[in-house]
Amino acid sequence: MSDGETASNSGDGQRKVFVKTYGCQMNVYDSQRMADALARDGFVETDKADDADMVLLNTCHIREKAAEKVYSEIGRLRQLRDRRRKGGADMMIGVAGCVAQAEGREMIARAPAVDFVIGPTTYHRLPDVVARARGGEKVVETEFAVEDKFEHLPRQQARQVQRRGVAAFLTVQEGCDKFCTFCVVPYTRGAEVSRPVAQIVEEARRLVAAGVREITLLGQNVNAWHGEGADGRSWGLGELLHELAGIEGLARLRYTTSHPRDMDDALIAAHRDLDVLMPYLHLPVQAGSDRILKAMNRRHTAEDYRRLVDRIRAARPDIALSGDFIVGFPGETDDDFEDTMRLVRDVTYAQAFSFKYSPRPGTPGADMAGHVDEQVKSERLARLQALLAEQQAGFMQQLVGKEVSVLLEKPGREPGQLVGRSPFLQPVICDETVGKIGDIATVRIGRASANSLISEPVERRRHAA
Ligand code: 5AD
Ligand code: SF4
């Protein structure tokens, strides 16, 4: 396309889409795929709603606050659209993701400004949905389509990689059959489905060929992934990681999110045997009391989890552990909460996410007796978060003075800097002299802030200045 054509297009032809993502990395991944599907339909991406012809909200339903945010955002977008209409322009509003899946047609009833609603298993129908919505129809597309569950993920294209960088996500598994009693995921994302080995390997190869150095395998229950291997045997995630580790040019592998019940021997061994598998594991435990774990239907005890962590650390002593915690699940007493604090002290996390229990309609937890007072939940959360913050600071601090490898991902906030990630997932701010984007540089950590590490040359320069 010549410059002239671009210019004449930008006036009226080029439609812009703003995709706003809430929630988990699965949504980040899906948003990228949706933007790519729309790009084939002539949309270009913009990073703000103000000049967008279409705003697509990719929503999260995991806690009530996350879901409520969507409705306030739609309210703001409706006002923006009204203003734009006065100026003769228009804007389409679409809602995707888990709130879309959970609410379906009710969403249009509650927020009539919404033009279409599309659930996570039907993203391959997005161009068709948009076309119908443009024709004036209020489209609701939330039927589960398990038979083609992975067809909704348009394959990643090489040009995307240039846009998205050197670290990429790759969905290998979707849905969840665990039915933890607090969680909406089994209802919004449906049954567990694993993507076939050949498809995963092909996509990984394509990503690497286009310059990706690090791949994070994604799944709501990623370590429940299973499939038929190249050797005709039944494979679990451990075997899949072995296969992917053989791809030349791929420097780093990660996976998220795991359930303790599915950490099998082969997967633990992979942490011992594969250098490309990064020493970081997100392994949510949610609570430290056996009574609460049982009520949550986690199907393991606190002791099971402690033993599992010991085995993982025996395989990979430097592994950084991360977790998710819920405080104030129905029936949680002070003693139960102290069990959680004790488990956290025993395990020691490098990083963690913690939440107040939020009752989700339709989940068993919502109907349980003994809901905990909001005030008590807040107090418990504050105590837990203080402990986790202390552990995180301790983890960061012990890296000061040590050498770590950093995959350089993008320019830093200040000129002369590049930002990458350590093997343990923290952002590391480096001097641009250490290498170029896509390189893996070895740097010495000079200082740690709350959430990132600062490498030594950057430090020295700061002191010299
Ligand atoms: N209330 C609070 N936290 C929740 N999570 C999932 N459902 C709920 C809920 N109803 C948390 C869990 C999960 C993380 C993604 O969100 O800790 O691991
Ligand atoms: Fe939700 Fe439990 Fe499944 Fe995780 S394992 S997605 S918390 S039901």
Side-chain angles (χ1 to χ4, degrees), residues 109-126:
R110 186 170 160 194
V114 171
D115 296 300
F116 66 88
V117 177
I118 185 164
T121 62
T122 49
Y123 290 156
H124 57 295
R125 298 186 202 140
L126 183 60

Side-chain angles (χ1 to χ4, degrees), residues 48-304:
K48 50 185 188 303
D50 299 16
D51 64 345
D53 301 287
M54 177 160 98
V55 174
L56 184 54
L57 304 177
N58 192 5
T59 61
C60 173
H61 201 240
I62 198 97
R63 285 168 293 274
E64 192 183 358
K65 240 196 234 163
E68 281 308 312
K69 262 194 224 158
V70 175
Y71 284 102
S72 22
E73 182 66 25
I74 294 168
R76 278 193 294 274
L77 289 173
R78 199 200 46 205
Q79 290 175 0
L80 175 64
R81 171 158 79 189
D82 290 347
R83 282 200 301 277
R84 287 189 53 145
R85 277 185 177 159
K86 282 192 193 126
D90 205 355
M91 188 176 90
M92 197 180 268
I93 302 173
V95 182
C98 294
V99 178
Q101 184 64 44
E103 312 249 307
R105 195 155 288 285
E106 279 173 38
M107 176 148 242
I108 304 249
R110 186 170 160 194
V114 171
D115 296 300
F116 66 88
V117 177
I118 185 164
T121 62
T122 49
Y123 290 156
H124 57 295
R125 298 186 202 140
L126 183 60
D128 173 56
V129 166
V130 172
R132 281 159 58 203
R134 287 173 88 198
E137 185 188 343
K138 293 274 182 194
V139 191
V140 177
E141 193 74 72
T142 50
E143 282 298 308
F144 269 107
V146 171
E147 73 290 348
D148 59 359
K149 207 163 181 181
F150 286 103
E151 293 306 313
H152 69 285
L153 300 172
R155 301 293 165 81
Q156 306 206 47
Q157 311 282 318
R159 64 175 176 76
Q160 267 169 243
V161 174
Q162 283 140 26
R163 241 174 27 199
R164 315 271 189 219
V166 294
F169 293 122
L170 199 172
T171 293
V172 301
Q173 182 279 337
E174 270 204 55
C176 182
D177 296 340
K178 292 281 190 293
F179 291 93
C180 300
T181 52
F182 52 81
C183 186
V184 289
V185 166
Y187 311 97
T188 53
R189 291 284 180 154
E192 230 166 76
V193 183
S194 291
R195 197 170 185 189
V197 175
Q199 252 190 44
I200 296 167
V201 172
E202 184 197 308
E203 183 158 338
R205 283 190 193 289
R206 206 194 326 257
L207 289 169
V208 172
V212 165
R213 308 292 320 276
E214 174 179 303
I215 293 178
T216 302
L217 306 182
L218 285 186
Q220 264 94 27
N221 224 310
V222 72
N223 59 345
W225 179 92
H226 56 92
E228 190 184 315
D231 55 6
R233 292 194 204 182
S234 167
W235 281 7
L237 191 64
E239 288 86 357
L240 179 66
L241 287 164
H242 264 276
E243 182 75 13
L244 295 171
I247 297 177
E248 205 171 324
L250 181 59
R252 290 177 158 197
L253 273 169
R254 304 179 186 276
Y255 60 94
T256 197
T257 290
S258 297
H259 191 289
R261 290 263 304 191
D262 295 318
M263 284 307 294
D264 64 13
D265 292 344
L267 184 51
I268 294 173
H271 279 282
R272 181 192 61 215
D273 299 334
L274 299 176
D275 288 342
V276 294
L277 184 55
M278 290 295 100
Y280 175 92
L281 178 62
H282 184 62
L283 194 64
V285 65
Q286 315 294 356
S289 143
D290 289 345
R291 229 169 49 79
I292 296 300
L293 286 168
K294 191 158 199 291
M296 286 176 163
N297 191 33
R298 294 290 290 179
R299 297 186 292 144
H300 63 77
T301 63
E303 195 48 37
D304 293 336

Side-chain angles (χ1 to χ4, degrees), residues 62-63 182-183 284 286 324-326 355-360:
I62 198 97
R63 285 168 293 274
F182 52 81
C183 186
Q286 315 294 356
D324 290 344
F325 299 89
I326 296 176
F355 314 98
K356 287 193 267 190
Y357 172 67
S358 156
R360 309 306 292 126

